[in-house]
């Protein structure tokens, strides 16, 4: 049976299909629970959430499902900025979003939520699976998580990162291909040097890594899932496919944009957050392409653009929203998560001649 | 049987595995014939060759094999340049290659071989299969080729290009993924907007195109070939894998560099030819990254850098050679083409449980 992979067994799930943790509101408790209830693994993208919000969301998920699910956090990374750089960034942002009639200034910078407190909630609330990106938790935190029987899923964009995750006793690795929507998980070196297509990345990891590999990036149908298995993946993580599900929390305009994609129109940009991420090209990403030198490190840029993104949502303007999406976004459908899972499973049963 | 695909039947070959046409001397008549003799389809990369050289190479291939093979040409594209731009390009090239003690000037520009005469040879010499890149032959040429029972293989990097090829009665399409080594085949719009990972590109084409699709880019082993079939490919085209074969005509230093690759170290660059291409990062590509504005259109830049590449070869300096390679180059092995084919077939027979 195609679904009985080491990953599925380790996670105690029926189908080795993980719903990607998409921070920013896409992965509502309803979406997470729906994916888990349908036999996959739902993941809460909690990177931007305050500890109290995470606690509330976890409790909601547990009300909606008794199946395993994951919560994802961002490993904090170093950043540097001078007041002059913030000033320069604000000027470029204001020039690139005049239509919104909002003004960004240095005062708009706010520190991200405390990672330690976020992690504390995950442990206190007995979350079964912790996934993370942008780095590796400290040895102390890894031991703490393992002592609490929490399974760990790391994110790698290169073989070097994957080897480091395995060395640090991480249980499973998401291999994030170049095609993936949203933020690049790269944590060693610069993101531009770690843009490896999935067909090159997964076999590379499969040849060298002994823990289950989860292929991610551009996977939207049974064909790509089957290809991921052929490449040596033990499962897949799908994000964009779930963005247009009825349970997803993205803005209606963002959803509409995804559903009207007829061909790949994504771009890699640092404009919204300071970290390289793939999303639908729009007026803001095009304008900011002329101000690359002004973009500050993550999380500063992310904090500075928050007002722009919020105003864009209130005005229903897709010109200034961040609309993360992978290279197969044209395959988006508006369905219930359960129906999406079912159609993928049906497709795979036909491919593998099982049922 | 995995090998009995529409592509294999149409090309009258045993295994749906095509050796990529690599211009610049890699695809010697010996390599082309060895691949065809082993049951695949060898291709001569003749884009840079004079008509007389092509004729000689074709005759040599026919001496070495009675199996089908392909010859590949570049469809001529528009280019524009001013004397000032050539001057600027020469200055940047000279600054970036001081160690070679060679001086590039406007006099080093030479027109590329005549495409019409190249095509004439292909028809006169009864080449069974004509593959092409950078565009589509004229309607008149397509009719002429078809009247001579020559099968046509086009190259697409997007769905739009693939649809246009199909409309123009091309028989098969190479879907060139982002991972591919060498020149991007893009002919509609700019190359940067047509960098789609193979896992996103192939299913997109498979859903809309009715002629056989040949997956290419980053395919080096049985795992990736099987994945290509899962994605909807009817066969694969492999380039980098054949570069280090004993019959390949690349410079020993280039071969050595490929064989010592431990992980992906490729970069997309216009520095050598004016067209975006993927190759191993070296001193020249790094330096030229600071002179992007000086790079002239293909084929001018290609002609201007010829002396640099030749001098680099004579000095055995990998710092200034163009060393095209795809994102799975770390899998290169030094073997006979026949042995490489055999090992791929063995791997696929295990995967598909056939023999």
């Amino acid at each position: 049976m195609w679904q009985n992979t080491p990953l599925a067994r380790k996670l105690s799930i029926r189908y080795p299909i993980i719903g990607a943790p998409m921070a920013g509101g896409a992965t509502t408790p309803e979406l997470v629970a729906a994916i888990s209830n349908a036999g996959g693994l739902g993941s809460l993208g909690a990177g931007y959430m305050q500890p109290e919000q995470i606690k509330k969301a976890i409790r909601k998920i547990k009300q909606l499902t008794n199946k395993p699910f994951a919560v994802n956090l961002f490993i904090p990374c170093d950043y540097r900025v001078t007041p002059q750089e913030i000033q320069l960034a604000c000027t470029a942002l204001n020039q690139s979003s005049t239509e919104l009639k909002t003004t960004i200034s240095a005062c708009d910078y706010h520190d991200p939520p405390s990672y330690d407190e976020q992690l504390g909630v995950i442990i206190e609330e007995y979350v079964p699976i912790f996934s993370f990106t942008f780095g590796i938790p400290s040895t102390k935190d890894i031991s703490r998580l393992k002592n609490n029987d929490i399974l760990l899923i790391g994110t790698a964009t290169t073989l070097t990162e994957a080897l480091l995750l395995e060395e640090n006793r991480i249980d499973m690795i998401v291999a994030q291909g170049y095609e993936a929507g949203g933020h690049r998980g790269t944590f060693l070196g610069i993101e531009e040097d770690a843009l490896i297509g999935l067909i090159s990345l997964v076999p590379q990891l499969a040849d060298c890594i002994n823990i289950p590999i989860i292929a991610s990036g551009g996977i939207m149908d049974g064909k790509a899932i089957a290809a991921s298995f052929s490449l040596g993946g033990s499962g897949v993580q799908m994000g964009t496919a779930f963005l247009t599900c009825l349970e997803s929390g993205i803005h209606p305009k963002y959803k509409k944009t995804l559903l009207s994609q007829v061909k790949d129109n994504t771009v890699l940009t640092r404009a919204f957050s300071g970290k390289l991420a793939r999303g639908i090209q729009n007026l803001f990403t095009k304008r900011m392409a002329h101000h690359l030198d002004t973009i500050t490190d993550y999380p500063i840029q992310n904090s500075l653009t928050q007002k722009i993104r919020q105003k864009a949502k209130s005005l229903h303007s897709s010109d200034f929203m961040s609309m993360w999406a992978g290279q197969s976004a044209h395959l988006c459908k508006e369905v219930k998560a359960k129906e999406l899972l079912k159609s993928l499973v049906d497709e795979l049963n036909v491919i593998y001649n099982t049922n």
Side-chain angles (χ1 to χ4, degrees), chain A:
Chain A
M1 295 292 277
W2 61 265
Q3 67 258 48
N4 186 24
T5 71
L7 181 84
R9 290 196 298 272
K10 210 158 184 174
L11 292 174
S12 310
I13 56 176
R14 188 158 176 201
Y15 309 116
I17 298 174
I18 301 178
M22 297 176 284
T27 48
T28 59
E30 289 75 14
L31 180 61
V32 176
I35 297 171
S36 290
N37 281 333
L41 182 80
S43 311
L44 178 74
Y48 295 136
M49 293 163 78
Q50 293 296 337
E52 267 308 307
Q53 293 176 294
I54 299 176
K55 187 183 286 183
K56 218 176 130 188
I58 292 170
R59 291 184 177 180
K60 187 72 192 280
I61 295 167
K62 287 186 171 176
Q63 276 175 20
L64 300 170
T65 184
N66 57 6
K67 296 282 195 305
F69 64 94
V71 177
N72 180 281
L73 293 180
F74 299 154
I75 305 300
C77 34
D78 292 337
Y79 57 92
R80 284 184 312 186
V81 76
T82 64
Q84 290 74 20
E85 285 166 349
I86 292 197
Q87 195 43 59
L88 204 67
C90 291
T91 306
L93 290 173
N94 288 325
Q95 281 172 2
S96 302
S97 62
T98 45
E99 292 86 345
L100 294 181
K101 298 194 173 69
T102 176
T103 309
I104 313 297
S105 72
C107 312
D108 290 307
Y109 175 71
H110 302 288
D111 281 327
S114 155
Y115 164 75
D116 285 337
E117 290 176 25
Q118 290 177 320
L119 195 67
V121 171
I122 286 172
I123 292 170
E124 286 157 24
E125 296 293 318
Y126 300 105
V127 167
I129 299 142
F130 171 53
S131 72
F132 53 87
T133 186
F134 305 155
I136 308 186
S138 67
T139 315
K140 202 181 136 200
D141 282 341
I142 291 174
S143 298
R144 210 170 135 219
L145 288 155
K146 286 194 168 272
N147 290 340
N148 282 276
D149 292 325
I150 297 176
L151 284 168
L152 304 179
I153 304 181
T155 308
T157 59
T158 61
L159 176 59
T160 315
E161 289 175 349
L163 288 168
L164 199 61
L165 288 166
E166 189 179 30
E167 265 174 41
N168 278 274
R169 302 191 299 140
I170 305 309
D171 299 293
M172 292 149 275
I173 297 176
V174 171
Q176 188 191 32
Y178 155 85
E179 300 87 347
H183 283 99
R184 302 294 307 156
T186 305
F187 59 94
L188 298 175
I190 63 163
E191 291 122 327
E192 280 78 358
D193 289 344
L195 296 171
I196 307 176
L198 205 64
I199 208 151
S200 285
L201 183 64
V202 176
Q204 213 175 129
L205 268 56
D207 286 348
C208 305
I209 299 283
N210 296 305
I211 54 177
I213 292 157
I214 303 153
S216 91
I219 302 169
M220 299 272 291
D221 59 8
K223 287 203 276 283
I225 298 176
S228 301
F229 292 143
S230 297
L231 294 172
S234 188
V236 299
Q237 181 166 287
M238 299 170 63
T240 312
F242 289 106
L243 283 175
T244 49
C245 282
L246 298 177
E247 299 89 342
S248 145
I250 64 171
H251 192 279
K253 191 77 190 211
Y254 176 8
K255 205 175 265 192
K256 206 176 154 188
T257 306
L258 285 172
L259 290 167
S260 64
Q261 283 281 104
V262 288
K263 55 173 188 166
D264 177 51
N265 183 31
T266 65
V267 68
L268 287 164
T269 180
R270 279 197 169 77
F272 285 107
S273 70
K275 262 192 196 292
L276 203 65
R278 183 180 293 284
I280 307 287
Q281 192 160 29
N282 62 6
L283 189 61
F284 183 74
T285 64
K286 280 181 199 162
R287 284 189 184 157
M288 286 297 291
H290 301 291
H291 301 283
L292 297 181
D293 293 345
T294 72
I295 297 173
T296 48
D297 280 359
Y298 177 89
I300 302 155
Q301 186 80 7
N302 192 62
S303 185
L304 293 177
T305 63
Q306 197 179 9
K307 253 164 75 176
I308 292 177
R309 290 178 279 124
Q310 282 172 348
K311 190 75 182 283
K313 282 183 189 177
S314 72
L315 296 174
H316 290 252
S317 164
S318 57
D319 286 342
F320 302 98
M321 283 180 197
S322 59
M323 297 184 289
W324 305 135
Q327 284 199 314
S328 298
H330 57 278
L331 293 176
C332 276
K333 277 176 255 172
E334 197 172 17
V335 287
K336 278 189 179 176
K338 188 182 165 179
E339 288 164 16
L340 175 58
L341 248 309
K342 190 181 177 307
S343 72
L344 295 171
V345 168
D346 288 348
E347 217 184 321
L348 287 160
N349 281 335
V350 170
I351 292 171
Y352 292 102
N353 203 15
T354 52
N355 55 52

